Amino acid sequence: DPVRVHIIPGHSRLHRPLSWPGLGDPLFLTGVTFPPEYPASPETLVKLTVYDVRDKARDNVSKPLRGEGVSFLGSVTFSVSDLLRSKDDQLTLNLRSSDGVLAVGTVLVSRVNMGEMEEGDMDHITADVQQAQKCTLVCESSQGTQNDKDNSPLTGAVFKNPVCKVYKFQTVDSKWMLVREQMEECTLSFSIPRQLLHLYIQEDMRRIQELRDLGELSPHWDNLRKEVIGRYGQVIAAYQETLAELNKITGPSFKPSCSKAQRYLEFIPINLHTQRMRVTCPRQTDAFYDVITVGAPAAHFQGFKGGGLQRLLSRHEAEKKSTAYQCIYYSPEHTAKAQEVLHSVGHLQPLISGLADQLLQAAQQHSMAGLREALKNLAGKTEQFVHALKDELVKSALLALHAAQPGYVTKNQNQTLPGHQDSPVAPLKRQDSIPCHKEYDEEEWDRVWADVAKSLNCVIAMVDKLQEQEPINNNQEQPIPKQVLADVITSHNPEGDWREQLCPLVVRLKECVAEVVVRARRAMTFVLLQEAACSIPQGLFLKQRRDVVFSQALAALACGFVMRLYAGMEDKGFLRQLHLVGLVAQFESLLSTYSEEIGMLEDMEVGISDLHRVAFKITLAKTDNPCDLQPVVIGRRDHYTVEVPLPQLAFQTLPHEIKEGKALQVYPVLFNVGINEQQTIADRFGDISLQERINQRNFEILDSYYKSLSLPCFQTQTDLKDLLETLGQNVVTKKRKNVEILWLAGTICRRLNGIRFTSCKSAKDRTSMSVTLEQCALLRDEHQLNKDYFIRALDCMRREGCRIENVQKNIKCRKYAFNMLQLMAFPKIYRPPEGTYGKVDS
Ligand SMILES: O=P(O)(O)O[C@H]1[C@H](O)[C@@H](O)[C@H](O)[C@H](O)[C@@H]1OP(=O)(O)O
């Protein structure tokens, strides 16, 4: 396979093959750097030596050792002048074996012109320091300003340690505007991951219990069960340890970028901060613009050797299908269905039981209205319950479970299944054989399941009957349609007490529900056992990876939601939109689709998409005490709810739908455009399909969200429609570093009242460039910032503003971690002013 070498300023590390599993002809890319102090000249000779690395764990082959998974392939030498004179800046060289005789492969050397350099670019990189220093920063504070609306006790409960900067800029009509930047930490950085860890542990413990409740299984299945339980136990122990370590942490409410790969901090989002820009213009009401900045949600501690979640999960699914010989393969949809059924029965059974008790209470009180109300609710929930179980999966899983019990025989073989014999790994071909245990009654489930509906009908019929017996004046409401089940009714004494007559029927209904729950729970647990057993150990590693990434993503989302909610408390239109449709949460990412950052982006894609399983609820806080205003997470992996408590005063002004606890939806979308030198390589020689796919898919989500908004205030905004159309065109256009995608997506999100997020690896350098650019663009487009002040304002914010403080908070140094050569690759407008960047230990 060809090896490509790029002479790229600023790079020297060997990179993994850029290839996708299943595709042949992988491309191995590596960049080679001549450090600025190195006296390279046209005569300089470059020797390339290529090794075959079999042992991926030994990624660092700078000093390869023979016989340790690394072997010499060949080498070749060329001079810098060969490259400079070459056609298309490219040399094709033959690798030679050590004795120089054999040609053992081809190396393609390209000289990379960073491309984004334009005439006069260098002038901007070394910007006019004097100009920039005519900076308009007027004051700064670490506490915010007094009597500040942004620092109310409400925000103070969740947002901490404000850093504040105020600037004065000139408008087009030579007036002055005041711009105030405020950046804060968020307590949710730690509290959401802690709560999630608790919930993960609880859920896995419950899973272990459910597996135990499967009862006696044949040795094959029993062994698998033991193994799965053992693995769950390990995960629980690791999570408990992490939680214990997290509980020891005090200090700032954010994880600095340099701790990104620390084991005990892996669930914590990197460098999560909120940033608000408030603009005060003469004779205008203040406007403010919020953004949440956070490092890409990704499993940094686990690393990116095999890629990120999106790739790992699809690879795993494919492998599972082909190697699941020990167990029954259930598709991810089936597994999700099993979880859903488990969840539904767990949720609905206590509700049905409570409503049945209410019905008896109403009967006791001889209240026909109460009886009918309770019956209506009971019927509704019971129907939901019956419906939730109406799935072929339950039936087939019951059969499979039956076949997994000791003593099971098949009709065809009339002999014990292989999986039933002593060897725990003997193949079991369940699907091919129709189980025919003499004790197994295939109709049984249908009967048990139908009994629930039947017993509900008996209850309905009895209430009807009682209603008929009532004197006419106690029977004003419309009667429930008659469902005559004579065999039931005749057995009851029409003259007796209401409660007495209803009680046996209600008890029967509860019993039928309980019976169904036991069976359904065991059947679904068996499906999940298959899933877990088929995927050990890789599936569990991936689950842990997904837990980590999701935790970071949820902490960021919750932070953004709370900030958006607090900001919109007095906006009736916004609140209406919130409960009628929900909010867009738009993540902008600046990761490169190259090397490690591909893996980060693959993690991030799954983490952000998993956020669609989250809803928010607003609750009334017990007190106005800050600790009672902390959001609370409830739920399980397939669905979480974040409850956001508000103090009485704020709560009472909300629309009643929100006060009644309506689930508030979020629509997460992710747009990525890599901007640095690594993206230059990816754009030219690598694979950018990941970025293209993400942008196209998320455009579709955003577009369908917009279409689902039937609120007139959005449909009449023609420019919103135009913006979406332009974004749609941009995501399919082949254009390098097309940052317009990010600007359009950000603008659309703001117009849609959404939550804005900006991310890169550590949310410190590239993110700072993007956030300051967005702020200045808003000043120019929405607040008539004088054009001559645009670059000055941008440089000033980058030099003096909250973002350089963010860098300082993270690495204790006031320099963005860019070198000059990296900056050449940036789109011009993303480059910071001279003196603010350099080599730092980040
Ligand atoms: O905040 P980031 O842009 O992810 O910081 C990068 C920086 O862009 C890059 O130039 C530098 O070489 C480092 O990789 C920074 O990442 P850290 O995670 O090390 O801060």
Side-chain angles (χ1 to χ4, degrees):
D1 296 322
V3 176
R4 289 181 182 229
V5 178
H6 305 284
I7 307 297
I8 302 157
H11 273 270
S12 60
R13 234 183 276 141
L14 181 77
H15 297 291
R16 260 173 291 290
L18 274 177
S19 70
W20 297 93
L23 288 185
D25 196 17
L27 198 63
F28 295 86
L29 281 175
T30 182
V32 177
T33 316
F34 293 102
E37 62 278 13
Y38 185 82
S41 71
E43 291 72 45
T44 304
L45 288 180
V46 181
K47 181 175 179 183
L48 304 171
T49 309
V50 179
Y51 295 90
D52 179 17
V53 184
R54 289 292 151 104
D55 179 359
K56 279 195 184 165
R58 301 194 151 267
D59 202 26
N60 185 352
V61 289
S62 55
K63 282 201 185 107
L65 298 169
R66 276 173 197 283
E68 290 193 60
V70 177
S71 60
F72 173 82
L73 275 185
S75 64
V76 63
T77 304
F78 67 95
S79 72
V80 169
S81 65
D82 291 343
L83 183 61
L84 293 176
R85 284 202 305 263
S86 64
K87 196 169 166 268
D88 301 330
D89 284 338
Q90 229 175 48
L91 285 176
T92 306
L93 306 166
N94 286 328
L95 274 181
R96 296 268 156 202
S97 56
S98 50
D99 52 10
V101 180
L102 286 175
V104 290
T106 317
V107 184
L108 212 75
V109 181
S110 344
R111 174 177 163 229
V112 176
N113 176 346
M114 294 315 281
E116 280 65 39
M117 283 287 287
E118 292 158 31
E119 279 297 302
D121 268 9
M122 288 304 284
D123 300 347
H124 180 64
I125 289 178
T126 54
D128 181 347
V129 181
Q130 268 194 336
Q131 261 294 331
Q133 273 170 356
K134 272 195 225 149
C135 182
T136 37
L137 180 77
V138 289
C139 88
E140 59 187 299
S141 112
S142 58
Q143 299 307 321
T145 45
Q146 267 179 359
N147 300 326
D148 195 336
K149 214 171 155 196
D150 299 337
N151 297 311
S152 69
L154 181 59
T155 60
V158 178
F159 302 110
K160 301 271 178 220
N161 300 335
V163 172
C164 213
K165 303 276 177 161
V166 181
Y167 316 82
K168 205 166 114 187
F169 298 129
Q170 212 172 64
T171 59
V172 274
D173 49 1
S174 301
K175 304 231 165 52
W176 291 93
M177 64 167 107
L178 271 188
V179 176
R180 183 171 169 283
E181 264 186 323
Q182 177 158 319
M183 181 181 74
E184 289 179 290
E185 295 162 18
C186 181
T187 56
L188 303 181
S189 271
F190 285 86
S191 90
I192 295 280
R194 278 192 194 117
Q195 295 184 60
L196 267 182
L197 273 160
H198 265 299
L199 294 173
Y200 292 152
I201 293 169
Q202 269 176 23
E203 186 178 337
D204 290 346
M205 282 179 159
R206 222 173 18 238
R207 182 67 65 78
I208 290 182
Q209 192 49 49
E210 284 163 358
L211 285 169
R212 292 197 173 121
D213 291 346
L214 277 179
E216 210 188 334
L217 296 177
S218 63
H220 169 76
W221 300 111
D222 197 38
N223 282 326
L224 283 180
R225 169 168 60 181
K226 277 189 192 128
E227 199 182 339
V228 170
I229 289 179
R231 295 280 180 169
Y232 273 125
Q234 287 167 2
V235 175
I236 291 171
Y239 284 7
Q240 280 167 335
E241 197 181 329
T242 304
L243 198 52
E245 290 301 316
L246 285 182
N247 287 337
K248 289 181 199 159
I249 292 175
T250 52
S253 302
F254 80 103
K255 171 171 96 172
S257 63
C258 47
S259 307
K260 69 167 81 63
Q262 268 186 32
R263 182 182 155 198
Y264 293 127
L265 295 179
E266 63 175 343
F267 290 84
I268 313 297
I270 302 161
N271 190 18
L272 175 64
H273 280 84
T274 62
Q275 178 142 339
R276 169 166 295 175
M277 176 176 75
R278 181 177 283 278
V279 189
T280 310
C281 284
R283 290 186 299 280
Q284 273 180 28
T285 47
D286 281 12
F288 59 84
Y289 303 90
D290 294 342
V291 62
I292 289 85
T293 60
V294 64
H300 290 270
F301 169 70
Q302 297 174 35
F304 304 98
K305 281 224 156 73
L309 274 171
Q310 182 266 327
R311 191 180 344 169
L312 292 168
L313 286 168
S314 51
R315 190 188 295 163
H316 174 63
E317 205 48 52
E319 280 167 6
K320 207 169 75 178
K321 220 182 253 175
S322 58
T323 60
Y325 61 91
Q326 286 193 56
C327 26
I328 304 163
Y329 173 77
Y330 286 102
S331 67
E333 292 74 37
H334 279 147
T335 310
K337 181 76 205 171
Q339 259 152 356
E340 192 189 309
V341 171
L342 269 176
H343 178 64
S344 303
V345 295
H347 165 74
L348 289 171
Q349 189 189 14
L351 283 183
I352 292 172
S353 175
L355 288 167
D357 292 342
Q358 271 178 33
L359 188 78
L360 289 180
Q361 216 177 341
Q364 174 117 32
Q365 292 159 356
H366 218 87
S367 153
M368 184 46 73
L371 211 52
R372 288 182 53 193
E373 180 61 23
L375 181 64
K376 196 174 104 200
N377 295 336
L378 177 65
K381 289 294 167 213
T382 312
E383 271 158 29
Q384 223 177 307
F385 176 82
V386 171
H387 188 76
L389 293 163
K390 191 182 168 202
D391 199 294
E392 271 305 303
L393 179 68
V394 184
K395 241 172 139 174
S396 67
L398 274 168
L399 200 60
L401 172 61
H402 180 77
Q405 283 160 355
Y408 170 73
V409 286
T410 66
K411 199 186 270 173
N412 298 343
Q413 298 157 322
N414 204 23
Q415 65 189 27
T416 312
L417 272 174
H420 206 325
Q421 290 160 349
D422 285 346
S423 160
V425 289
L428 186 86
K429 292 169 80 187
R430 197 267 321 171
Q431 284 101 331
D432 304 345
S433 52
I434 301 160
C436 159
H437 193 282
K438 63 177 185 317
E439 287 165 26
Y440 187 70
D441 176 356
E442 285 192 35
E443 313 283 293
E444 199 182 355
W445 166 251
D446 289 336
R447 267 200 309 275
V448 176
W449 177 66
D451 275 353
V452 175
K454 277 190 199 157
S455 54
L456 174 69
N457 282 342
C458 293
V459 174
I460 294 173
M462 178 55 78
V463 173
D464 270 358
K465 191 169 180 319
L466 296 175
Q467 186 170 331
E468 275 166 15
Q469 290 165 7
E470 267 304 277
I472 220 75
N473 60 355
N474 195 16
N475 188 13
Q476 286 148 353
E477 297 106 330
Q478 264 211 311
I480 296 169
K482 246 191 210 169
Q483 314 231 3
V484 183
L485 283 165
D487 53 333
V488 181
I489 298 166
T490 47
S491 66
H492 291 279
N493 166 16
E495 302 308 316
D497 164 70
W498 281 12
R499 190 177 195 287
E500 219 170 82
Q501 294 184 56
L502 263 176
C503 196
L505 300 178
V506 167
V507 169
R508 176 75 191 125
L509 173 66
K510 282 190 187 178
E511 280 168 2
C512 291
V513 168
E515 183 146 9
V516 165
V517 168
V518 169
R519 283 164 201 256
R521 195 170 265 156
R522 292 180 70 231
M524 296 302 94
T525 303
F526 189 68
V527 171
L528 297 182
L529 169 65
Q530 305 309 308
E531 208 280 322
C534 288
S535 47
I536 275 178
Q538 181 65 357
L540 273 189
F541 291 144
L542 289 183
K543 195 170 90 145
Q544 278 174 271
R545 187 177 189 108
R546 206 165 179 169
D547 284 350
V548 164
V549 175
F550 179 75
S551 165
Q552 296 179 23
L554 183 63
L557 178 70
C559 162
F561 183 89
V562 173
M563 189 182 199
R564 189 67 196 85
L565 175 73
Y566 289 178
M569 294 283 288
E570 285 159 26
D571 180 345
K572 294 274 173 266
F574 163 75
L575 293 171
R576 203 168 120 73
Q577 177 192 355
L578 179 61
H579 72 78
L580 281 179
V581 208
L583 296 182
V584 157
Q586 183 249 331
F587 289 79
E588 161 182 324
S589 159
L590 299 154
L591 293 172
S592 292
T593 52
Y594 185 71
S595 188
E596 280 210 323
E597 290 196 4
I598 294 186
M600 276 173 226
L601 186 56
E602 288 168 343
D603 271 352
M604 183 170 185
E605 184 189 8
V606 173
I608 301 302
S609 152
D610 280 350
L611 292 176
H612 77 267
R613 296 187 271 115
V614 177
F616 288 82
K617 260 186 196 170
I618 314 299
T619 56
L620 175 62
K622 279 199 213 103
T623 70
D624 293 3
N625 202 309
C627 64
D628 287 328
L629 297 176
Q630 297 300 319
V632 175
V633 190
I634 51 173
R636 43 204 277 166
R637 283 184 183 87
D638 53 356
H639 193 270
Y640 289 103
T641 302
V642 182
E643 294 183 346
V644 183
L646 287 182
Q648 169 83 41
L649 257 178
F651 186 80
Q652 68 195 17
T653 63
L654 295 172
H656 76 273
E657 289 88 345
I658 297 185
K659 283 195 284 197
E660 276 167 12
K662 184 160 182 202
L664 310 171
Q665 304 301 329
V666 276
Y667 297 86
V669 287
L670 167 67
F671 290 91
N672 185 81
V673 177
I675 58 167
N676 70 7
E677 79 292 356
Q678 306 238 9
Q679 190 62 39
T680 305
I681 305 172
D683 283 343
R684 298 193 175 202
F685 311 105
D687 182 350
I688 53 164
S689 57
L690 173 66
Q691 172 169 297
E692 289 175 340
R693 187 180 50 70
I694 289 177
N695 291 342
Q696 284 167 23
R697 185 173 290 176
N698 283 275
F699 166 73
E700 282 159 22
I701 302 174
L702 188 61
D703 195 44
S704 65
Y705 171 83
Y706 169 72
K707 289 185 177 139
S708 74
L709 279 174
S710 49
L711 303 172
C713 58
F714 296 110
Q715 296 309 327
T716 51
Q717 287 189 42
T718 47
D719 58 339
L720 192 48
K721 231 185 201 154
D722 295 346
L723 285 166
L724 268 155
E725 220 172 281
T726 317
L727 178 61
Q729 285 155 7
N730 271 277
V731 294
V732 292
T733 305
K734 299 257 176 234
K735 190 174 165 200
R736 288 175 189 159
K737 299 193 181 168
N738 187 4
V739 287
E740 207 174 326
I741 290 178
L742 302 179
W743 301 342
L744 286 163
T747 310
I748 293 167
C749 168
R750 289 194 189 280
R751 298 277 170 90
L752 291 173
N753 287 325
I755 316 172
R756 277 278 300 111
F757 297 84
T758 299
S759 268
C760 55
K761 178 165 68 164
S762 65
K764 168 172 70 59
D765 305 313
R766 283 165 287 181
T767 292
S768 295
M769 298 306 109
S770 177
V771 164
T772 45
L773 174 61
E774 187 173 358
Q775 290 183 164
C776 288
L778 284 164
L779 294 178
R780 181 195 57 203
D781 301 340
E782 310 287 337
H783 299 278
Q784 293 82 44
L785 172 71
N786 192 321
K787 274 211 183 80
D788 299 340
Y789 270 73
F790 182 79
I791 292 292
R792 221 187 287 181
L794 193 56
D795 283 352
C796 180
M797 279 182 186
R798 289 173 176 172
R799 184 185 296 283
E800 313 266 355
C802 287
R803 297 313 303 188
I804 198 80
E805 303 297 340
N806 181 275
V807 174
Q808 163 81 31
K809 284 176 82 171
N810 276 278
I811 56 168
K812 309 271 174 290
C813 167
R814 301 175 79 79
K815 278 206 192 308
Y816 301 109
F818 304 131
N819 60 41
M820 176 95 115
L821 294 159
Q822 280 179 304
L823 290 184
M824 286 183 197
F826 273 28
K828 213 169 166 184
I829 207 84
Y830 285 83
R831 300 171 189 165
E834 179 65 6
T836 61
Y837 59 88
K839 193 173 163 4
V840 287
D841 203 2
S842 70

